[in-house]
Short mmCIF file of all heavy atoms in Angstrom, two decimals:
data_model
loop_
_atom_site.label_atom_id
_atom_site.label_comp_id
_atom_site.label_asym_id
_atom_site.label_seq_id
_atom_site.Cartn_x
_atom_site.Cartn_y
_atom_site.Cartn_z
N MET A 799 154.57 19.72 353.93
CA MET A 799 155.23 18.53 354.53
C MET A 799 154.28 17.34 354.46
O MET A 799 153.09 17.48 354.74
CB MET A 799 155.54 18.85 356.00
CG MET A 799 155.75 17.62 356.85
SD MET A 799 155.95 18.00 358.57
CE MET A 799 157.69 18.37 358.65
N ARG A 800 154.85 16.25 354.09
CA ARG A 800 154.12 15.01 354.10
C ARG A 800 154.92 13.89 354.78
O ARG A 800 156.08 13.70 354.44
CB ARG A 800 153.79 14.60 352.64
CG ARG A 800 152.96 13.34 352.61
CD ARG A 800 152.16 13.20 351.30
NE ARG A 800 151.21 12.10 351.43
CZ ARG A 800 149.97 12.26 351.92
NH1 ARG A 800 149.55 13.46 352.24
NH2 ARG A 800 149.18 11.27 352.05
N ILE A 801 154.25 13.29 355.70
CA ILE A 801 154.95 12.23 356.54
C ILE A 801 154.51 10.86 355.94
O ILE A 801 153.38 10.63 355.64
CB ILE A 801 154.46 12.32 358.01
CG1 ILE A 801 154.92 13.59 358.64
CG2 ILE A 801 154.94 11.09 358.80
CD1 ILE A 801 156.34 13.62 359.08
N ASN A 802 155.53 10.00 355.92
CA ASN A 802 155.28 8.58 355.55
C ASN A 802 155.86 7.71 356.69
O ASN A 802 156.94 8.04 357.23
CB ASN A 802 155.91 8.19 354.24
CG ASN A 802 155.17 8.92 353.09
OD1 ASN A 802 154.00 8.74 352.90
ND2 ASN A 802 155.96 9.66 352.34
N VAL A 803 155.19 6.62 357.00
CA VAL A 803 155.71 5.67 357.96
C VAL A 803 155.81 4.33 357.32
O VAL A 803 154.99 3.94 356.51
CB VAL A 803 154.84 5.61 359.26
CG1 VAL A 803 154.91 6.96 359.99
CG2 VAL A 803 153.45 5.19 358.99
N ASP A 804 156.88 3.63 357.69
CA ASP A 804 157.06 2.25 357.19
C ASP A 804 156.91 1.27 358.31
O ASP A 804 157.86 1.08 359.12
CB ASP A 804 158.46 2.14 356.53
CG ASP A 804 158.66 0.82 355.79
OD1 ASP A 804 157.91 -0.13 356.11
OD2 ASP A 804 159.63 0.72 355.01
N ARG A 805 155.71 0.63 358.38
CA ARG A 805 155.52 -0.31 359.52
C ARG A 805 156.38 -1.53 359.39
O ARG A 805 156.55 -2.24 360.36
CB ARG A 805 154.02 -0.69 359.48
CG ARG A 805 153.15 0.44 359.97
CD ARG A 805 151.66 0.13 359.86
NE ARG A 805 151.28 -1.13 360.45
CZ ARG A 805 150.97 -1.31 361.75
NH1 ARG A 805 151.01 -0.26 362.57
NH2 ARG A 805 150.63 -2.49 362.22
N ASP A 806 156.93 -1.83 358.22
CA ASP A 806 157.78 -3.03 358.06
C ASP A 806 159.11 -2.84 358.83
O ASP A 806 159.74 -3.85 359.19
CB ASP A 806 158.12 -3.25 356.61
CG ASP A 806 156.86 -3.74 355.84
OD1 ASP A 806 155.91 -4.25 356.53
OD2 ASP A 806 156.86 -3.61 354.63
N ILE A 807 159.55 -1.64 359.09
CA ILE A 807 160.85 -1.42 359.76
C ILE A 807 160.65 -0.78 361.17
O ILE A 807 161.60 -0.63 361.89
CB ILE A 807 161.89 -0.65 358.96
CG1 ILE A 807 161.34 0.71 358.57
CG2 ILE A 807 162.21 -1.45 357.68
CD1 ILE A 807 162.36 1.56 357.83
N CYS A 808 159.46 -0.33 361.48
CA CYS A 808 159.16 0.24 362.83
C CYS A 808 159.43 -0.90 363.84
O CYS A 808 159.00 -2.08 363.67
CB CYS A 808 157.69 0.63 362.86
SG CYS A 808 157.13 1.04 364.57
N CYS A 809 160.13 -0.52 364.96
CA CYS A 809 160.37 -1.47 366.02
C CYS A 809 159.51 -1.25 367.25
O CYS A 809 159.74 -1.85 368.30
CB CYS A 809 161.82 -1.55 366.35
SG CYS A 809 162.47 0.00 367.04
N GLY A 810 158.59 -0.31 367.14
CA GLY A 810 157.67 -0.09 368.23
C GLY A 810 158.22 0.65 369.41
O GLY A 810 157.74 0.47 370.58
N ALA A 811 159.29 1.39 369.20
CA ALA A 811 159.96 2.05 370.31
C ALA A 811 159.07 3.18 370.94
O ALA A 811 159.20 3.55 372.11
CB ALA A 811 161.30 2.67 369.88
N GLY A 812 158.22 3.73 370.16
CA GLY A 812 157.27 4.72 370.62
C GLY A 812 157.76 6.15 370.76
O GLY A 812 157.05 7.01 371.30
N MET A 813 158.97 6.41 370.34
CA MET A 813 159.47 7.78 370.42
C MET A 813 158.62 8.75 369.66
O MET A 813 158.39 9.93 370.07
CB MET A 813 160.91 7.86 369.88
CG MET A 813 161.93 7.13 370.79
SD MET A 813 161.93 7.72 372.47
CE MET A 813 162.46 9.42 372.24
N CYS A 814 158.07 8.31 368.55
CA CYS A 814 157.24 9.23 367.75
C CYS A 814 155.98 9.62 368.52
O CYS A 814 155.51 10.76 368.47
CB CYS A 814 156.91 8.53 366.41
SG CYS A 814 156.10 6.94 366.63
N VAL A 815 155.40 8.66 369.22
CA VAL A 815 154.16 8.93 369.98
C VAL A 815 154.45 9.87 371.09
O VAL A 815 153.67 10.79 371.42
CB VAL A 815 153.57 7.61 370.46
CG1 VAL A 815 152.27 7.82 371.23
CG2 VAL A 815 153.38 6.64 369.32
N LEU A 816 155.57 9.69 371.76
CA LEU A 816 155.95 10.62 372.85
C LEU A 816 156.23 12.02 372.35
O LEU A 816 155.95 12.99 373.01
CB LEU A 816 157.20 10.05 373.53
CG LEU A 816 157.05 8.79 374.37
CD1 LEU A 816 158.38 8.34 374.88
CD2 LEU A 816 156.07 9.05 375.51
N THR A 817 156.76 12.14 371.15
CA THR A 817 157.16 13.42 370.61
C THR A 817 156.03 14.17 369.96
O THR A 817 155.93 15.34 370.11
CB THR A 817 158.30 13.21 369.59
OG1 THR A 817 159.31 12.47 370.17
CG2 THR A 817 158.86 14.53 369.09
N ALA A 818 155.17 13.45 369.27
CA ALA A 818 154.04 14.07 368.50
C ALA A 818 152.82 13.20 368.62
O ALA A 818 152.43 12.54 367.61
CB ALA A 818 154.48 14.31 367.03
N PRO A 819 152.19 13.20 369.77
CA PRO A 819 151.10 12.29 369.97
C PRO A 819 149.82 12.61 369.18
O PRO A 819 148.97 11.72 369.05
CB PRO A 819 150.78 12.42 371.50
CG PRO A 819 151.36 13.80 371.86
CD PRO A 819 152.54 13.98 370.96
N ASP A 820 149.70 13.79 368.60
CA ASP A 820 148.55 14.08 367.75
C ASP A 820 148.76 13.52 366.35
O ASP A 820 147.78 13.43 365.62
CB ASP A 820 148.37 15.58 367.68
CG ASP A 820 147.90 16.16 369.03
OD1 ASP A 820 147.30 15.40 369.81
OD2 ASP A 820 148.17 17.36 369.24
N ILE A 821 149.97 13.13 366.01
CA ILE A 821 150.25 12.70 364.68
C ILE A 821 150.47 11.21 364.62
O ILE A 821 150.04 10.54 363.68
CB ILE A 821 151.51 13.44 364.13
CG1 ILE A 821 151.28 14.95 364.14
CG2 ILE A 821 151.86 12.96 362.72
CD1 ILE A 821 152.50 15.74 363.85
N PHE A 822 151.10 10.66 365.68
CA PHE A 822 151.51 9.24 365.69
C PHE A 822 150.80 8.55 366.82
O PHE A 822 150.56 9.10 367.87
CB PHE A 822 152.98 9.06 365.85
CG PHE A 822 153.81 9.74 364.80
CD1 PHE A 822 154.41 10.97 365.05
CD2 PHE A 822 153.97 9.19 363.55
CE1 PHE A 822 155.18 11.60 364.09
CE2 PHE A 822 154.70 9.82 362.57
CZ PHE A 822 155.32 11.04 362.85
N ASP A 823 150.46 7.28 366.61
CA ASP A 823 149.97 6.44 367.66
C ASP A 823 150.63 5.05 367.46
O ASP A 823 151.33 4.86 366.43
CB ASP A 823 148.44 6.30 367.64
CG ASP A 823 147.87 5.83 368.92
OD1 ASP A 823 148.60 5.51 369.87
OD2 ASP A 823 146.60 5.68 368.98
N GLN A 824 150.43 4.15 368.46
CA GLN A 824 150.93 2.82 368.30
C GLN A 824 149.75 1.89 368.27
O GLN A 824 148.82 2.01 369.09
CB GLN A 824 151.86 2.46 369.46
CG GLN A 824 153.26 3.04 369.24
CD GLN A 824 154.16 2.78 370.43
OE1 GLN A 824 154.06 3.48 371.45
NE2 GLN A 824 155.00 1.73 370.35
N SER A 825 149.73 0.90 367.46
CA SER A 825 148.71 -0.08 367.38
C SER A 825 148.57 -0.88 368.67
O SER A 825 149.60 -1.28 369.22
CB SER A 825 148.98 -1.04 366.22
OG SER A 825 148.14 -2.17 366.29
N GLU A 826 147.39 -1.04 369.12
CA GLU A 826 147.21 -1.86 370.29
C GLU A 826 147.44 -3.34 370.01
O GLU A 826 147.68 -4.13 370.95
CB GLU A 826 145.78 -1.66 370.87
CG GLU A 826 145.56 -0.32 371.44
CD GLU A 826 144.20 -0.19 372.16
OE1 GLU A 826 143.53 -1.16 372.35
OE2 GLU A 826 143.84 0.98 372.47
N GLU A 827 147.41 -3.70 368.76
CA GLU A 827 147.63 -5.12 368.35
C GLU A 827 149.04 -5.46 368.28
O GLU A 827 149.45 -6.47 368.87
CB GLU A 827 146.90 -5.37 367.03
CG GLU A 827 145.37 -5.30 367.14
CD GLU A 827 144.71 -5.53 365.78
OE1 GLU A 827 145.39 -5.80 364.85
OE2 GLU A 827 143.45 -5.42 365.75
N ASP A 828 149.85 -4.68 367.59
CA ASP A 828 151.21 -5.12 367.35
C ASP A 828 152.18 -4.05 367.85
O ASP A 828 153.42 -4.29 367.77
CB ASP A 828 151.46 -5.42 365.84
CG ASP A 828 151.12 -4.24 364.94
OD1 ASP A 828 151.02 -3.11 365.42
OD2 ASP A 828 150.97 -4.48 363.74
N GLY A 829 151.77 -2.90 368.38
CA GLY A 829 152.70 -1.95 368.93
C GLY A 829 153.40 -1.08 367.91
O GLY A 829 154.24 -0.24 368.27
N LEU A 830 153.06 -1.30 366.67
CA LEU A 830 153.76 -0.57 365.62
C LEU A 830 153.07 0.76 365.32
O LEU A 830 151.92 0.95 365.69
CB LEU A 830 153.83 -1.41 364.33
CG LEU A 830 154.53 -2.74 364.51
CD1 LEU A 830 154.62 -3.52 363.18
CD2 LEU A 830 155.97 -2.55 365.05
N VAL A 831 153.80 1.61 364.73
CA VAL A 831 153.33 3.00 364.49
C VAL A 831 152.06 3.05 363.62
O VAL A 831 151.88 2.29 362.69
CB VAL A 831 154.48 3.84 363.86
CG1 VAL A 831 154.80 3.33 362.46
CG2 VAL A 831 154.14 5.31 363.85
N VAL A 832 151.21 3.99 364.00
CA VAL A 832 150.06 4.28 363.19
C VAL A 832 150.07 5.82 362.97
O VAL A 832 150.20 6.55 363.84
CB VAL A 832 148.76 3.93 363.90
CG1 VAL A 832 147.51 4.38 363.13
CG2 VAL A 832 148.66 2.43 364.21
N LEU A 833 149.95 6.18 361.69
CA LEU A 833 149.99 7.58 361.31
C LEU A 833 148.55 8.07 361.40
O LEU A 833 147.67 7.60 360.68
CB LEU A 833 150.50 7.79 359.90
CG LEU A 833 150.57 9.24 359.41
CD1 LEU A 833 151.61 10.05 360.26
CD2 LEU A 833 151.03 9.27 357.94
N LEU A 834 148.25 8.95 362.37
CA LEU A 834 146.88 9.42 362.62
C LEU A 834 146.44 10.39 361.56
O LEU A 834 145.31 10.34 361.09
CB LEU A 834 146.77 10.06 364.01
CG LEU A 834 147.10 9.14 365.19
CD1 LEU A 834 147.10 9.90 366.47
CD2 LEU A 834 146.06 8.01 365.26
N ARG A 835 147.35 11.27 361.20
CA ARG A 835 147.02 12.28 360.18
C ARG A 835 148.28 12.98 359.78
O ARG A 835 149.33 12.81 360.44
CB ARG A 835 146.01 13.30 360.72
CG ARG A 835 146.40 14.07 361.94
CD ARG A 835 145.45 15.14 362.30
NE ARG A 835 145.78 15.77 363.58
CZ ARG A 835 146.70 16.66 363.81
NH1 ARG A 835 147.53 17.04 362.82
NH2 ARG A 835 146.89 17.20 365.00
N GLN A 836 148.19 13.81 358.74
CA GLN A 836 149.37 14.57 358.35
C GLN A 836 149.49 15.78 359.26
O GLN A 836 148.48 16.33 359.76
CB GLN A 836 149.22 15.05 356.88
CG GLN A 836 149.31 13.90 355.87
CD GLN A 836 150.67 13.23 355.87
OE1 GLN A 836 151.70 13.91 356.12
NE2 GLN A 836 150.69 11.91 355.62
N PRO A 837 150.75 16.20 359.60
CA PRO A 837 150.91 17.35 360.48
C PRO A 837 150.46 18.65 359.84
O PRO A 837 150.59 18.88 358.65
CB PRO A 837 152.42 17.38 360.70
CG PRO A 837 153.01 16.59 359.57
CD PRO A 837 152.03 15.61 359.16
N GLU A 838 149.91 19.50 360.71
CA GLU A 838 149.57 20.87 360.24
C GLU A 838 150.86 21.66 360.31
O GLU A 838 151.89 21.22 360.91
CB GLU A 838 148.51 21.43 361.20
CG GLU A 838 147.24 20.63 361.10
CD GLU A 838 146.13 21.18 362.11
OE1 GLU A 838 146.39 22.14 362.85
OE2 GLU A 838 145.11 20.48 362.17
N ALA A 839 150.84 22.86 359.71
CA ALA A 839 152.09 23.63 359.60
C ALA A 839 152.69 23.90 360.95
O ALA A 839 153.93 23.83 361.13
CB ALA A 839 151.74 24.99 358.91
N ALA A 840 151.94 24.16 361.96
CA ALA A 840 152.43 24.45 363.28
C ALA A 840 153.06 23.23 363.97
O ALA A 840 153.77 23.36 364.97
CB ALA A 840 151.34 25.03 364.20
N GLU A 841 152.80 22.06 363.42
CA GLU A 841 153.33 20.81 363.98
C GLU A 841 154.55 20.29 363.25
O GLU A 841 155.08 19.22 363.53
CB GLU A 841 152.26 19.73 363.98
CG GLU A 841 151.03 20.13 364.75
CD GLU A 841 149.86 19.22 364.55
OE1 GLU A 841 149.65 18.75 363.38
OE2 GLU A 841 149.10 18.96 365.49
N ALA A 842 155.04 21.09 362.30
CA ALA A 842 156.10 20.61 361.41
C ALA A 842 157.39 20.29 362.24
O ALA A 842 158.05 19.28 362.00
CB ALA A 842 156.44 21.60 360.34
N ASP A 843 157.71 21.11 363.22
CA ASP A 843 158.86 20.90 363.98
C ASP A 843 158.82 19.65 364.79
O ASP A 843 159.80 18.89 364.89
CB ASP A 843 159.16 22.12 364.93
CG ASP A 843 159.70 23.33 364.19
OD1 ASP A 843 160.02 23.20 362.98
OD2 ASP A 843 159.67 24.42 364.72
N ALA A 844 157.67 19.42 365.41
CA ALA A 844 157.47 18.18 366.18
C ALA A 844 157.58 16.95 365.28
O ALA A 844 158.17 15.93 365.63
CB ALA A 844 156.13 18.21 366.92
N ALA A 845 157.02 17.08 364.11
CA ALA A 845 157.03 15.95 363.15
C ALA A 845 158.47 15.67 362.76
O ALA A 845 158.91 14.54 362.63
CB ALA A 845 156.17 16.24 361.95
N ARG A 846 159.20 16.70 362.45
CA ARG A 846 160.68 16.51 362.11
C ARG A 846 161.49 15.92 363.24
O ARG A 846 162.33 15.06 363.05
CB ARG A 846 161.30 17.83 361.69
CG ARG A 846 160.89 18.26 360.33
CD ARG A 846 161.67 19.54 359.93
NE ARG A 846 160.86 20.38 359.04
CZ ARG A 846 160.65 20.15 357.79
NH1 ARG A 846 161.17 19.07 357.23
NH2 ARG A 846 159.92 20.97 357.06
N GLU A 847 161.17 16.37 364.47
CA GLU A 847 161.88 15.83 365.61
C GLU A 847 161.58 14.35 365.77
O GLU A 847 162.48 13.58 366.10
CB GLU A 847 161.44 16.61 366.86
CG GLU A 847 162.22 16.20 368.13
CD GLU A 847 161.91 17.00 369.36
OE1 GLU A 847 161.02 17.91 369.26
OE2 GLU A 847 162.47 16.70 370.44
N ALA A 848 160.29 13.97 365.59
CA ALA A 848 159.96 12.56 365.74
C ALA A 848 160.70 11.73 364.68
O ALA A 848 161.13 10.64 364.95
CB ALA A 848 158.43 12.46 365.53
N THR A 849 160.84 12.29 363.52
CA THR A 849 161.55 11.61 362.44
C THR A 849 163.04 11.39 362.82
O THR A 849 163.60 10.31 362.60
CB THR A 849 161.47 12.46 361.15
OG1 THR A 849 160.14 12.66 360.81
CG2 THR A 849 162.20 11.73 360.01
N GLN A 850 163.64 12.40 363.45
CA GLN A 850 164.99 12.26 363.87
C GLN A 850 165.22 11.33 365.03
O GLN A 850 166.24 10.68 365.17
CB GLN A 850 165.53 13.66 364.17
CG GLN A 850 165.66 14.53 362.95
CD GLN A 850 165.90 15.97 363.27
OE1 GLN A 850 165.94 16.40 364.43
NE2 GLN A 850 165.99 16.82 362.24
N LEU A 851 164.20 11.28 365.93
CA LEU A 851 164.33 10.43 367.12
C LEU A 851 163.99 8.95 366.90
O LEU A 851 164.37 8.11 367.69
CB LEU A 851 163.40 10.97 368.16
CG LEU A 851 163.83 12.33 368.81
CD1 LEU A 851 162.76 12.78 369.79
CD2 LEU A 851 165.18 12.20 369.51
N CYS A 852 163.34 8.68 365.83
CA CYS A 852 162.89 7.27 365.56
C CYS A 852 164.17 6.44 365.37
O CYS A 852 165.01 6.70 364.52
CB CYS A 852 162.06 7.19 364.25
SG CYS A 852 161.71 5.49 363.76
N PRO A 853 164.37 5.44 366.25
CA PRO A 853 165.60 4.63 366.16
C PRO A 853 165.70 3.73 365.00
O PRO A 853 166.82 3.27 364.63
CB PRO A 853 165.55 3.80 367.46
CG PRO A 853 164.06 3.72 367.76
CD PRO A 853 163.43 4.98 367.31
N SER A 854 164.59 3.47 364.30
CA SER A 854 164.70 2.53 363.17
C SER A 854 164.59 3.22 361.83
O SER A 854 164.68 2.58 360.76
CB SER A 854 163.57 1.50 363.30
OG SER A 854 162.31 2.09 363.23
N GLY A 855 164.41 4.53 361.84
CA GLY A 855 164.30 5.27 360.57
C GLY A 855 163.02 4.97 359.82
O GLY A 855 163.01 5.01 358.59
N ALA A 856 161.99 4.67 360.57
CA ALA A 856 160.72 4.28 359.92
C ALA A 856 159.85 5.46 359.46
O ALA A 856 158.90 5.26 358.74
CB ALA A 856 159.92 3.42 360.93
N ILE A 857 160.21 6.66 359.86
CA ILE A 857 159.46 7.85 359.47
C ILE A 857 160.26 8.65 358.49
O ILE A 857 161.43 8.93 358.69
CB ILE A 857 159.18 8.71 360.74
CG1 ILE A 857 158.55 7.85 361.85
CG2 ILE A 857 158.20 9.87 360.39
CD1 ILE A 857 158.42 8.64 363.18
N SER A 858 159.61 9.05 357.43
CA SER A 858 160.26 9.91 356.46
C SER A 858 159.39 11.14 356.20
O SER A 858 158.19 11.07 356.36
CB SER A 858 160.51 9.15 355.12
OG SER A 858 159.33 8.64 354.61
N VAL A 859 160.07 12.21 355.84
CA VAL A 859 159.38 13.48 355.59
C VAL A 859 159.68 13.91 354.17
O VAL A 859 160.75 13.92 353.74
CB VAL A 859 159.90 14.54 356.54
CG1 VAL A 859 159.28 15.91 356.23
CG2 VAL A 859 159.62 14.18 358.01
N ALA A 860 158.59 14.26 353.48
CA ALA A 860 158.75 14.87 352.18
C ALA A 860 158.20 16.30 352.25
O ALA A 860 157.05 16.47 352.66
CB ALA A 860 157.93 14.03 351.14
N ASP A 861 159.03 17.25 351.91
CA ASP A 861 158.55 18.64 351.92
C ASP A 861 157.77 18.89 350.60
O ASP A 861 158.24 18.50 349.52
CB ASP A 861 159.71 19.57 352.03
CG ASP A 861 160.24 19.66 353.48
OD1 ASP A 861 159.35 19.89 354.34
OD2 ASP A 861 161.41 19.41 353.69
N GLU A 862 156.76 19.56 350.70
CA GLU A 862 155.98 19.89 349.49
C GLU A 862 155.23 21.24 349.81
O GLU A 862 154.96 21.57 350.92
CB GLU A 862 154.97 18.81 349.19
CG GLU A 862 153.96 18.58 350.27
CD GLU A 862 153.01 17.44 349.96
OE1 GLU A 862 153.34 16.56 349.14
OE2 GLU A 862 151.88 17.42 350.48
N GLU A 863 155.00 21.92 348.72
CA GLU A 863 154.17 23.19 348.84
C GLU A 863 152.76 22.78 348.98
O GLU A 863 152.22 21.95 348.27
CB GLU A 863 154.43 24.03 347.59
CG GLU A 863 155.87 24.48 347.44
CD GLU A 863 156.33 25.44 348.53
OE1 GLU A 863 155.44 26.23 348.99
OE2 GLU A 863 157.50 25.38 348.97
N ASP A 864 152.09 23.41 349.97
CA ASP A 864 150.64 23.17 350.14
C ASP A 864 149.80 24.04 349.18
O ASP A 864 150.27 25.02 348.74
CB ASP A 864 150.22 23.43 351.57
CG ASP A 864 150.71 22.30 352.46
OD1 ASP A 864 150.92 21.18 351.96
OD2 ASP A 864 150.88 22.57 353.65
S1 SF4 B 1144 159.67 6.00 366.88
FE1 SF4 B 1144 159.96 4.79 364.96
S2 SF4 B 1144 160.29 2.72 365.64
FE2 SF4 B 1144 159.35 3.84 367.33
S3 SF4 B 1144 157.15 3.47 367.10
FE3 SF4 B 1144 157.65 5.38 366.09
S4 SF4 B 1144 157.98 4.79 363.93
FE4 SF4 B 1144 158.16 2.95 365.18
#
């Protein structure tokens, strides 16, 4: 799994940070999403949930074989 975030369409709602705080953060400067790191296998469900909860569709998931 590989996560991508698009800061151009993030609206700073913070759902991703609430759902997967080890993977996502919000910038203290502009409140927009910051991708901390790629999710580990055990975090895949949380990462997918964050993707679905994001109101602006700023998070995308690409499945790939590791
Ligand atoms: S949930 Fe979406 S809109 Fe909200 S901070 Fe995260 S990426 Fe941005």
Side-chain angles (χ1 to χ4, degrees):
M799 159 187 275
R800 181 157 191 88
I801 295 280
N802 290 302
V803 295
D804 186 343
R805 288 173 53 84
D806 289 339
I807 59 175
C808 170
C809 65
M813 291 304 296
C814 56
V815 182
L816 291 173
T817 307
D820 292 334
I821 302 170
F822 303 100
D823 198 359
Q824 283 175 278
S825 166
E826 291 186 10
E827 291 178 4
D828 57 17
L830 301 182
V831 65
V832 175
L833 183 64
L834 297 174
R835 59 174 171 78
Q836 292 296 326
E838 296 174 5
E841 299 168 325
D843 285 349
R846 282 186 213 285
E847 186 177 359
T849 303
Q850 291 166 0
L851 290 175
C852 174
S854 62
I857 308 170
S858 58
V859 175
D861 283 307
E862 61 182 24
E863 297 294 325
D864 287 335

